[in-house]
Amino acid sequence: MSAVPRSIGLVFDDRFLTHDTGLSLIEDRTPYPFSKPVAHPSSPELIGRAKQLMDLAGITDRMTRIEPYTADDEALLRFHTRDYLDRLAVLDKTGGDTGSGAPMGPGGLRVARLSAGGVMAAVDAICAGSVRQCYALVRPPGHHAMPDQGMGFCVFNNVVIAARHAQAAHGIRKIAIVDWDVHHGNGTQTAFAADPDVLFISVHQDSLYPSGWGAVDQIGSGPGEGSTVNIPLPAGSGNATYRAVFERIVVPVLEAFEPELIFVSAGQDASVADPLARMTLTTSAYRFMATAMRDLAERVCQGRLVVAQEGGYAPAYAPYCSAAIAETLVGAGEGPVPLIEPYGDYDGSIPSNAWIGLDAAAALQAVFDMHASRWPLEPPDRFVDAAHE
Ligand code: ZN
């Protein structure tokens, strides 16, 4: 017998790196025409470095390569409108903004289709039984994309399209989507707000982006009421709060829901170094979140877990968080070169990584108050107690 069976898939393709987001300034140049733009935050450098780190640490070698394919109109139209696809076909010749802050260069449409098809390919590989879990390290990201427009760096909503693909092509009915990107997954929430078969849980920085989305009282509508769980956290929340969120809310709710397939919308922009948000997670948080999701998938749905790349904008740090997720899936500490935490024992120097602040405890209490009648959440006093443990 030769190699150890590799049951963790990886979707990656160099073509993802050709998605051109150009240069940017936070605001337009009107009052300061001399100011020099910098690289767009959603640059190819982020997932390119993540892949390189995974290569150097021997993680890629322990994964099964899953080839992405081009999502066709039928797949895209399960969420997006025909009018949007028609507009994109025109825009593809020149490049430009696909909607609201989601630029692509000329020819970018094929990359966006490949990104959506990459997450679909991950679903196919898992449903075929060739891998148990899969990390889709795709680009552009997806969770902000709305039916009729791109938004927030996202052109197509990759996870929504892949979830609908799982239902249409593989006979899966109940799906859970956990979105730990620091921004709210407004496009995903829109897709499934009225759908009781798809549970959407978003953990995000409160009132960040997009404006007006992700409040705790957005719980779905009609037959989907209660199957949207928003967990908005105050800026500055760290590893301790995220651990409580997963142990006391995300995992119990998913266990009760009993999905047949789990997606993670994995943005690594809640990291301590991210320029677009104000959370303080380190690589160890991404390890325990990935562990929690993998173990949960093993318990409730034969291991079926798709981790789909979303945001993450700290060029020197987010790639370590992404690679830590992949290493967790394949087995940390078992590779030839252990992946390090680049800041060393940084967790311990950040108070919010050891303590749940009172503002974060209040945020968790609000989630409990909103959802305890529907889901088996831990009693609220535990949240407060944890601030003093
Ligand atoms: Zn984000």
Side-chain angles (χ1 to χ4, degrees):
M1 297 297 287
S2 57
V4 175
R6 290 176 295 176
S7 63
I8 309 300
L10 173 66
V11 176
F12 182 80
D13 193 298
D14 282 334
R15 286 173 287 179
F16 294 143
L17 306 182
T18 68
H19 170 56
D20 182 6
T21 45
L23 301 172
S24 79
L25 286 169
I26 293 175
E27 299 296 341
D28 72 39
R29 303 175 67 168
T30 315
Y32 310 111
F34 47 84
S35 66
K36 186 178 176 184
V38 297
H40 190 279
S42 185
S43 84
E45 195 177 341
L46 278 300
I47 72 163
R49 280 200 78 212
K51 173 62 165 46
Q52 188 184 37
L53 268 174
M54 290 164 60
D55 292 346
L56 294 172
I59 298 168
T60 312
D61 287 344
R62 294 188 286 148
M63 302 177 89
T64 298
R65 180 72 174 264
I66 307 296
E67 292 296 326
Y69 55 83
T70 301
D72 62 15
D73 283 4
E74 182 184 6
L76 298 176
L77 288 168
R78 293 193 183 107
F79 178 60
H80 295 287
T81 63
R82 167 55 66 186
D83 177 65
Y84 179 44
L85 297 194
D86 290 345
R87 279 187 283 123
L88 285 178
V90 175
L91 189 70
D92 192 47
K93 297 179 173 63
T94 58
D97 195 340
T98 62
S100 176
M104 71 175 190
L109 182 54
R110 66 192 169 88
V111 191
R113 284 181 181 269
L114 194 69
S115 185
V119 186
M120 293 167 67
V123 168
D124 293 340
I126 286 171
C127 290
S130 52
V131 297
R132 289 188 79 75
Q133 289 104 35
C134 190
Y135 191 171
L137 189 59
V138 299
R139 187 172 172 274
H143 72 151
H144 295 308
M146 297 292 274
D148 59 349
Q149 66 163 357
M151 188 171 168
F153 317 161
C154 304
V155 178
F156 294 129
N157 199 311
N158 306 324
V159 166
V160 171
I161 291 160
R164 289 302 189 207
H165 170 69
Q167 293 176 317
H170 297 290
I172 284 176
R173 183 170 71 89
K174 294 181 74 178
I175 293 173
I177 300 169
V178 177
D179 185 331
W180 72 46
D181 187 285
V182 79
H183 304 100
H184 180 255
N186 57 293
T188 313
Q189 178 170 305
T190 296
F192 303 119
D195 187 344
D197 287 336
V198 181
L199 172 69
F200 176 61
I201 303 181
S202 179
V203 188
H204 50 271
Q205 185 179 321
D206 192 8
S207 303
L208 183 59
Y209 177 89
S211 177
W213 288 89
V216 72
D217 61 357
Q218 294 173 14
I219 61 170
S221 58
E225 187 173 299
S227 66
T228 294
V229 178
N230 276 301
I231 307 172
L233 300 173
S237 296
N239 294 9
T241 296
Y242 274 74
R243 183 179 286 278
V245 162
F246 275 73
E247 290 178 349
R248 300 173 188 189
I249 302 173
V250 175
V251 169
V253 170
L254 261 66
E255 278 182 334
F257 181 70
E258 296 183 323
E260 297 160 58
L261 172 67
I262 301 171
F263 289 88
V264 173
S265 263
Q268 280 58 263
D269 44 9
S271 88
V272 66
D274 202 275
L276 300 190
R278 294 294 175 268
M279 297 306 206
T280 68
L281 299 192
T282 59
T283 52
S284 62
Y286 289 98
R287 289 182 189 281
F288 75 65
M289 292 194 293
T291 300
M293 290 297 94
R294 181 200 59 202
D295 291 353
L296 185 80
E298 293 292 348
R299 284 201 301 280
V300 304
C301 55
Q302 299 91 50
R304 291 171 172 169
L305 173 69
V306 176
V307 178
Q309 182 66 32
E310 299 284 0
Y313 307 104
Y317 192 68
Y320 281 90
C321 299
S322 298
I325 293 165
E327 190 186 44
T328 299
L329 294 179
V330 298
E334 298 167 12
V337 186
L339 187 71
I340 60 162
E341 159 56 56
Y343 291 151
D345 186 23
Y346 195 37
D347 293 2
S349 67
I350 303 172
S352 60
N353 283 353
W355 293 68
I356 299 173
L358 291 176
D359 52 352
L364 297 179
Q365 174 77 50
V367 177
F368 179 89
D369 291 344
M370 187 60 63
H371 287 284
S373 64
R374 298 181 182 84
W375 300 108
L377 306 183
E378 292 279 345
D381 59 307
R382 293 287 309 280
F383 297 146
V384 178
D385 285 351
H388 307 288
E389 280 174 359

